Amino acid sequence: MRAAAIGACVAIAATCAVYATQPLWAPGPGVASAPSAGPTTRQPTAPAPGAPGTTSPGAGAASTGPDGVGLSDDVREKVLAAVRGPVVLDPGSLERRTVQRAALVVASSPTIALDADTGTWVRLVLPADVRLENVRLSPDGTRLLRTYPRLESIPLAGGSPTRIELDAGLPAGPDTDCLVQDAAWSRDGARIAATFGCLTFGSRRELAEAHTHVLREASLTDGRARTVERVDGYPSESYPSYSPDDAHVVTGFSSSDQPYAVRTVATDGTAPFTWDDTHVVYGDPWRDARTVLVWDEAVAPTEPGAHALLDVVTGTKTPLPVAGLANLLGYVGGRLTVRGPLTAGCDVDACFVDPASGAIDPWLDLPGGDEGAPVVLAAWGLIRSATG
């Protein structure tokens, strides 16, 4: 497995192990269905008195989308400075506290965040069982979405998580087991997409006779849910991600012929494409509304073409000419980021890289943190508000 595959099978490792040993079916055509009742949610309790509060998503509780969030002028300048770099921080010297919303969250040791209300960097207080490799930051920067041990959203400001149930509409039966693999926020913050892997067993319980990949979408404004796609196969290690215009969702996908693939589908359930031997780049993989960045399982990581751009409208694949990129961190503020220690020319924790020329600019330097690979979570709506 390539070094770029950070957090493979991060949601349910045991499920990945089961899938890896079972016979698979080839993928079939996608199926879109009409909305069905769901999801059910458990409303969070209020934060403790004096704690900054937010409203976690649930049926009837609208999420604040990118167009509804604002930044003061001085904070906007600080966010711009953060996403342009270079940024040098000693995490150990920062104040430790929660935030109501964060423009950026970076996994160092300790975890740090850019407070979107003050423009200051802080050591972020998170629940003890939250790992940044396993969560997604909402577009308005107020909540984390995770799938393990259950699908739920967690307010950064404190308070109880909101559990999201999307089981309605999944394959059902006494011999069928469905587990959520991973999930993503829509860019407008109003929906959640989750991928499920479903196994149907025959007389021999240790062998699955059918594998089904299901992509479900839930509205956080009216509580309704629907199946976007249901095909033979199962989710692979790449988590789902909405395109910037919310018109497509990209996911990892596996079949009997291809253990690692990328699949995109329009959110109306049409125009699916599957690319073999590819993995979605972690972080935000979308260069623009129709182009997603992947790394290629069939090409050595040090060779040109190890990464490629996929056009989700035409189905074309264009290799990147730059070699030597490792552990890409996705796009932040429209610029591609890369982990420093594994990429020549980047001597800090994270750098910006030009995918055409290979030119590298330093971005994040955390001399007081650990030397692990940083995971960067960017609040898409807040970053867009700052960068225009």
Side-chain angles (χ1 to χ4, degrees):
M1 182 60 63
R2 291 255 307 275
I6 307 175
C9 298
V10 293
I12 306 176
T15 303
C16 294
V18 171
Y19 286 156
T21 61
Q22 307 299 338
L24 309 175
W25 286 8
V31 178
S33 68
S36 60
T40 59
T41 61
R42 298 176 185 172
Q43 293 297 333
T45 57
T54 62
T55 300
S56 295
S63 172
T64 303
D67 294 329
V69 298
L71 299 170
S72 64
D73 290 341
D74 60 331
V75 171
R76 180 176 291 106
E77 290 302 316
K78 292 176 181 177
V79 172
L80 275 174
V83 298
R84 288 173 178 169
V87 176
V88 181
L89 295 171
D90 178 1
S93 68
L94 302 177
E95 178 187 6
R96 183 177 184 271
R97 60 178 173 84
T98 61
V99 298
Q100 185 168 354
R101 54 182 185 165
L104 292 168
V105 179
V106 181
S108 62
S109 183
T111 299
I112 62 173
L114 179 62
D115 188 334
D117 293 303
T118 65
T120 58
W121 290 90
V122 301
R123 286 183 291 159
L124 186 61
V125 175
L126 290 173
D129 62 345
V130 169
R131 295 176 56 239
L132 289 192
E133 294 90 343
N134 297 354
V135 299
R136 315 286 172 253
L137 182 62
S138 63
D140 62 3
T142 62
R143 300 175 302 283
L144 298 173
L145 176 67
R146 72 172 176 181
T147 57
Y148 185 80
R150 63 191 62 86
L151 181 59
E152 62 186 4
S153 66
I154 303 170
L156 285 185
S160 300
T162 299
R163 185 167 182 175
I164 303 168
E165 301 283 0
L166 269 173
D167 293 342
L170 293 174
D175 297 321
T176 298
D177 294 331
C178 294
L179 291 174
V180 61
Q181 182 74 5
D182 220 322
W185 302 96
S186 64
R187 299 301 182 111
D188 63 7
R191 289 165 288 161
I192 287 173
T195 52
F196 292 83
C198 298
L199 304 179
T200 300
F201 299 90
S203 57
R204 297 181 61 190
R205 183 66 185 179
E206 69 274 13
L207 294 176
E209 295 183 349
H211 300 71
T212 308
H213 166 100
V214 183
L215 176 63
R216 295 271 290 165
E217 184 181 64
S219 168
L220 299 180
T221 56
D222 60 15
R224 293 174 67 82
R226 66 191 182 101
T227 296
V228 177
E229 184 177 53
R230 174 174 167 171
V231 296
D232 296 333
Y234 63 85
S236 187
E237 65 184 49
S238 299
Y239 59 77
S241 178
Y242 280 88
S243 61
D245 60 0
D246 283 331
H248 292 84
V249 176
V250 61
T251 68
F253 183 76
S254 294
S255 70
S256 58
D257 299 322
Q258 190 57 237
Y260 303 110
V262 166
R263 186 171 176 87
T264 65
V265 62
T267 47
D268 63 4
T270 63
F273 289 108
T274 301
W275 291 271
D276 294 341
D277 294 317
T278 52
H279 306 260
V280 177
V281 167
Y282 291 87
D284 181 0
W286 292 89
R287 187 190 67 177
D288 51 53
R290 63 183 288 172
T291 313
V292 63
L293 183 63
V294 300
W295 56 273
D296 198 320
E297 177 78 22
V299 180
T302 57
E303 298 297 322
H307 296 86
L309 293 170
L310 308 179
D311 189 315
V312 301
V313 176
T314 65
T316 58
K317 176 181 176 182
T318 305
L320 292 185
V322 177
L325 302 179
N327 282 19
L328 292 179
L329 304 175
Y331 291 91
V332 176
R335 301 178 70 185
L336 184 60
T337 59
V338 63
R339 180 188 169 191
L342 298 182
T343 300
C346 181
D347 298 325
V348 295
D349 291 89
C351 293
F352 294 117
V353 57
D354 186 324
S357 67
I360 289 178
D361 296 316
W363 178 36
L364 284 174
D365 188 8
L366 309 172
D370 64 11
E371 296 180 356
V375 176
V376 179
L377 306 179
W380 186 82
L382 294 175
I383 299 300
R384 191 184 75 172
S385 177
T387 59

